[in-house]
Amino acid sequence: MYPRILPAIMFAALSQPAIAQMQSAEVTLTRIDCGRASEPMPLAAFDDTGASDAMARALVVSCYLVRHGDDLLIWDTGIDPATSGDPDGGFTMTATLVDELAALGIAPADVDYVGISHYHYDHTGQARDFPQVTLLIGAQDWEVIENGAPFIDRSLFAPWLDGGGSVRKISGDLDLFGDGTVRLLAMPGHTNGHHALLVRLAGTGPVMLTGDLAHYTENYEKEGVPTFNDDRADTLASFDRFKRMAANYHATVVIQHEPADVGLLPAFPEAAR
């Protein structure tokens, strides 16, 4: 009884003007270069079955700008420019995220949200350059940051740890704008609070950004679990869910660290629509 009645009641509660407003927001997706591997990286640790022991790949670091009407979301923030070229980090960058956005006429103060797929350094390096935003992050990942794990650079999160910035700690999925066009998807395993992103575009169709569910094409196809993941079983369950969703939605899957997937979206500064 209730599963059928409740959706109807909820739908009826929305006025027609509200529905029209939800549907009228234009959504675009822009891929931004936020770093590249200085040289091919050994991939043995990215699959605990040994499938990648002999492999090396020059991975990329990607950030994304999502426009939803007048709202702006940055998805992942790349490496810290101060670490560019550091052999321990393994990535270099030629322009900061702030500079790349400036080329689009966007200042840090224009950004409303920064969404973080997970707390690793190559996804959070420039978050603090947007101190006024609402930070979107998995609740379990934020707990790790708050507790000050030794591998976390807490200075990257100073605007929110100091109490001045707003943090939205996400448990499960989040339909950010309430219209289904931008959804943070809980995909735990790489970290316990790890999320992927689904963006529905009017022309291109659904696009699913993996976060670090997978790091390169073979990793995605063979469902390789890195030795440094938080939970193996959760990773495999997330692979299953992600792939089923991608198939059901006929989505374009973009593996964020895969160089070949850069071409699945228009070249900067153009946006997918």
Side-chain angles (χ1 to χ4, degrees):
M1 175 179 176
Y2 290 111
R4 293 187 180 183
I5 293 176
L6 286 178
I9 293 173
M10 292 168 63
F11 183 82
L14 291 173
S15 66
Q16 290 303 316
I19 294 170
Q21 184 178 13
M22 288 168 58
Q23 294 176 338
S24 66
E26 182 183 12
V27 181
T28 68
L29 175 64
T30 304
R31 189 262 173 183
I32 301 173
D33 184 1
C34 283
R36 289 183 171 268
S38 306
E39 57 186 28
M41 303 175 66
L43 300 179
F46 289 84
D47 189 322
D48 64 7
T49 69
S52 61
D53 282 359
M55 294 177 62
R57 184 73 57 81
L59 302 180
V60 298
V61 180
S62 298
C63 303
Y64 300 87
L65 169 68
V66 179
R67 291 181 182 266
H68 179 278
D70 294 330
D71 293 304
L72 299 180
L73 162 71
I74 299 295
W75 177 251
D76 284 340
T77 65
I79 66 169
D80 182 348
T83 68
S84 178
D86 185 338
D88 290 335
F91 294 106
T92 61
M93 63 188 306
T94 56
T96 68
L97 180 53
V98 169
D99 287 342
E100 298 271 28
L101 291 173
L104 299 173
I106 298 171
D110 298 328
V111 178
D112 302 286
Y113 304 95
V114 164
I116 298 296
S117 62
H118 64 294
Y119 55 66
H120 288 163
Y121 75 99
D122 52 325
H123 295 258
T124 61
Q126 299 170 76
R128 63 186 168 198
D129 292 334
F130 304 89
Q132 83 295 333
V133 305
T134 296
L135 184 70
L136 309 172
I137 189 167
Q140 299 94 327
D141 278 15
W142 185 249
E143 183 178 356
V144 172
I145 294 166
E146 283 190 307
N147 290 339
F151 50 83
I152 296 290
D153 181 355
R154 286 169 59 87
S155 71
L156 300 177
F157 304 96
W160 302 279
L161 288 170
D162 293 345
S166 174
V167 182
R168 189 164 182 180
K169 294 170 277 190
I170 306 164
S171 296
D173 295 353
L174 173 66
D175 182 352
L176 182 57
F177 300 108
D179 60 1
T181 59
V182 181
R183 292 175 57 196
L184 281 73
L185 305 174
M187 297 287 168
H190 186 62
T191 64
N192 288 327
H194 180 269
H195 281 73
L197 188 70
L198 167 64
V199 183
R200 293 181 180 273
L201 302 170
T204 303
V207 177
M208 293 178 68
L209 306 177
T210 59
D212 273 5
L213 175 64
H215 294 78
Y216 47 92
T217 300
E218 296 88 343
N219 197 222
Y220 180 80
E221 292 174 346
K222 297 178 180 179
E223 300 183 3
V225 180
T227 59
F228 47 87
N229 274 23
D230 280 353
D231 190 291
R232 194 176 201 280
D234 281 352
T235 301
L236 293 175
S238 291
F239 266 121
D240 180 68
R241 184 190 183 213
F242 187 98
K243 288 185 173 183
R244 286 173 183 266
M245 292 181 73
N248 290 335
Y249 296 156
H250 305 288
T252 298
V253 173
V254 177
I255 303 168
Q256 293 184 209
H257 283 300
E258 170 58 71
D261 283 9
V262 170
L264 295 177
L265 297 174
F268 184 86
E270 298 301 316
R273 301 176 183 275

